[in-house]
Amino acid sequence: MDDHNNSDPEAASSKAERRRTKIIQTLMSGSSTQIRDLAESLGVSLMTIHRDLSVLEKEGLVRRLRGSVSAEKSLLFESSYNYRGRKNVEDKKRLARAAVTRLEPGNAVMIDDSTTTYYLSEFLLDVAPLTVVTNAAPILEKLRHAPEIDLISTGGRYHPGYHGYFGANCEKAIRSYHVDVAILSTTTIQGLSLYTPDEIVVRAKQAMMQVARKRILLADATKFTFSALNYVAEITDFDLVILTGDIPPDKLDLIRASKVNVEIV
């Protein structure tokens, strides 16, 4: 059913965002999809699907051609940093704020490239001095002049889709450190397992987990919605899992049954 006439503009906007995220997920295989088929699978009119595609086209994420649509090859589809960075901002800030309360002055902290952990940079000065090691270009930019932050870049090959540094040199640098805390997010959580679309991201995250005395995972409710190809780790590999948003009750029950330390914020 088309949501165009939804009387609640905020609800309609949220529904449209979820639908556009599903479109990006559908196109992740890299093959083109008939626009009519996309509308049918999402249960909306052609007018609605074209409106969604117009928005995504302006974002630089998709390309329409003769009744079909495909993801722009220059981007890693749902992994486009700019696209992800504008989603669920308040949830991400809530998670970041909660994570920072678990840090202590003097800690060495490893932070991954996710748009969720980016918001740690807004609160880290509250517990400075800190040493921060990261492969995330936005965090490096935000903290480069921050007082009492000893900032260390992993280096490596820059990846524009993730706005971060990856590859063999990045992983080697990560493994040369031993940190008090690693704070990570994930593309998706299926059952008790974490997945992400790209194996270069997997290797960086796994290296960060290996060199940390304590591991913290941050995730909002959208992380339970989709699947991704590459296995990263188990939720039980983390010392603390901080969640926010409308987590499906069955998913939350499964996590709690695993005896992992969970905090809902």
Side-chain angles (χ1 to χ4, degrees), residues 36-172:
R36 188 175 296 278
D37 293 343
L38 203 53
E40 185 177 337
S41 68
L42 293 172
V44 297
S45 68
L46 276 172
M47 182 182 296
T48 295
I49 210 71
H50 276 291
R51 191 165 59 244
D52 288 337
L53 293 175
S54 178
V55 171
L56 294 174
E57 210 164 27
K58 287 176 183 175
E59 297 266 4
L61 294 171
V62 305
R63 177 182 297 176
R64 286 180 284 185
L65 182 64
R66 299 190 193 92
S68 67
V69 60
S70 61
E72 284 286 8
K73 297 294 187 258
S74 61
L75 296 174
L76 287 172
F77 315 128
E78 49 68 71
S79 298
S80 160
Y81 193 95
N82 290 335
Y83 181 75
R84 291 181 295 129
R86 290 193 291 273
K87 310 305 173 189
N88 307 310
V89 170
E90 290 309 312
D91 279 352
K92 292 171 181 177
K93 287 184 177 182
R94 191 177 300 114
L95 290 166
R97 191 180 292 110
V100 166
T101 66
R102 301 305 182 110
L103 302 179
E104 298 177 359
N107 277 170
V109 187
M110 187 86 71
I111 303 175
D112 74 358
D113 66 292
S114 70
T115 58
T116 298
T117 55
Y118 164 75
Y119 289 99
L120 291 165
S121 61
E122 295 191 1
F123 308 107
L124 288 173
L125 290 179
D126 295 344
V127 289
L130 294 170
T131 297
V132 174
V133 185
T134 186
N135 66 331
I139 293 178
L140 292 167
E141 177 64 23
K142 183 76 177 284
L143 295 180
R144 64 196 179 100
H145 296 307
E148 297 191 287
I149 298 291
D150 184 13
L151 185 61
I152 300 173
S153 168
T154 63
R157 184 182 296 273
Y158 177 72
H159 196 298
Y162 297 115
H163 213 354
Y165 297 89
F166 298 90
N169 287 335
C170 169
E171 295 154 29
K172 182 178 179 181

